[in-house]
Amino acid sequence: DVKVTQSSRYLVKRTGEKVFLECVQDMDHENMFWYRQDPGLGLRLIYFSYDVKMKEKGDIPEGYSVSREKKERFSLILESASTNQTSMYLCASSAGIHEQYFGPGTRLTVT
Amino acid sequence: RKEVEQDPGPFNVPEGATVAFNCTYSNSASQSFFWYRQDCRKEPKLLMSVYSSGNEDGRFTAQLNRASQYISLLIRDSKLSDSATYLCVVNPNAGNNRKLIWGLGTSLAVNP
């Protein structure tokens, strides 16, 4: 079974803090993704990576950056957290054209 | 027109009922299609990939109609545990699935 893990299930941070969300997959997938999910807006792609050290912007990259130093690990960084970044963050991985597998999500609250 | 559109529901059905959801997509060149299931406050999980010939997995049947640009999901003999949000997903790209287009989901509640 594909396993995607995320570093935290729940996180509370203050405005202006730097936030790191980590994602690890164990299936040697080349593609990894970061989404956020908000009520009424669905899943929105923040960034994705199709290889180590490669990244591409998704639909809403503003305020976020990513890092992929190893194939199995994809990090999402909020340089200076703001209240409008309160959301559910979901990491996913996939191989080629196949389906994406998700981690359990991190519910981030920025106060 | 949205790239992927779903009726948000909610669909309220009794146990044992048959229920069908449709999803329309705007890009006629879309290559592959999926249905995901998402339980409340959980991550999406793949339910089915949708093949051009249609496919069936137990009580679930998925169909693709390229001419009319929609995919459908049929659930027979609904169970209480089928209560969830069903997400329609479209891949517009040949050769990779780097940017999937996600519908907002259809909410299903199966009642005893």
Side-chain angles (χ1 to χ4, degrees):
Chain A
D1 267 358
V2 175
K3 189 148 188 188
V4 181
T5 57
Q6 294 184 227
S7 48
S8 307
R9 292 299 300 273
Y10 300 94
L11 211 50
V12 180
K13 294 291 183 181
R14 293 191 184 277
T15 301
E17 278 193 85
K18 191 167 186 174
V19 182
F20 292 87
L21 302 181
E22 278 222 313
C23 174
V24 178
Q25 51 95 3
D26 67 357
M27 284 304 291
D28 202 35
H29 286 170
E30 63 267 25
N31 301 321
M32 295 189 76
F33 308 82
W34 275 107
Y35 294 90
R36 64 177 282 178
Q37 187 173 31
D38 302 285
L41 297 176
L43 275 156
R44 292 182 290 168
L45 182 65
I46 305 171
Y47 267 97
F48 66 97
S49 168
Y50 51 89
D51 203 350
V52 175
K53 296 192 187 295
M54 305 301 287
K55 62 186 179 186
E56 280 196 32
K57 293 180 180 179
D59 300 316
I60 51 162
E62 297 78 19
Y64 303 94
S65 61
V66 290
S67 171
R68 193 164 181 203
E69 297 296 317
K70 294 185 177 181
K71 191 174 185 179
E72 68 271 18
R73 194 177 296 267
F74 192 35
S75 301
L76 180 70
I77 302 140
L78 288 66
E79 293 291 341
S80 177
S82 63
T83 54
N84 63 13
Q85 292 178 309
T86 291
S87 186
M88 169 73 112
Y89 289 87
L90 289 156
C91 174
S93 72
S94 75
I97 63 168
H98 301 291
E99 57 272 12
Q100 294 182 10
Y101 294 88
F102 285 83
T106 296
R107 194 164 290 278
L108 173 68
T109 302
V110 182
T111 62
Chain B
R1 183 182 173 185
K2 286 184 185 173
E3 291 182 272
V4 175
E5 284 200 80
Q6 297 183 250
D7 180 344
F11 284 65
N12 284 285
V13 303
E15 267 187 293
T18 295
V19 62
F21 310 134
N22 278 347
C23 164
T24 58
Y25 60 94
S26 60
N27 184 345
S28 59
S30 295
Q31 296 294 312
S32 53
F33 309 87
F34 307 93
W35 283 103
Y36 277 73
R37 172 203 168 115
Q38 187 172 26
D39 294 297
C40 189
R41 302 177 78 85
K42 299 279 185 120
E43 75 273 23
K45 292 186 178 177
L46 180 70
L47 180 65
M48 299 179 81
S49 301
V50 186
Y51 305 120
S52 54
S53 57
N55 48 307
E56 189 173 312
D57 182 3
R59 298 182 293 109
F60 298 84
T61 300
Q63 295 279 352
L64 167 63
N65 185 317
R66 282 194 185 274
S68 301
Q69 292 180 215
Y70 75 84
I71 65 173
S72 63
L73 178 68
L74 181 80
I75 306 174
R76 288 180 298 277
D77 188 23
S78 300
K79 312 288 184 196
L80 296 176
S81 57
D82 294 334
S83 298
T85 296
Y86 290 84
L87 302 171
C88 170
V89 189
V90 175
N91 178 13
N93 303 304
N96 70 74
N97 71 344
R98 293 171 186 175
K99 288 189 81 173
L100 300 180
I101 311 298
W102 294 78
L104 296 184
T106 297
S107 176
L108 171 66
V110 180
N111 306 304

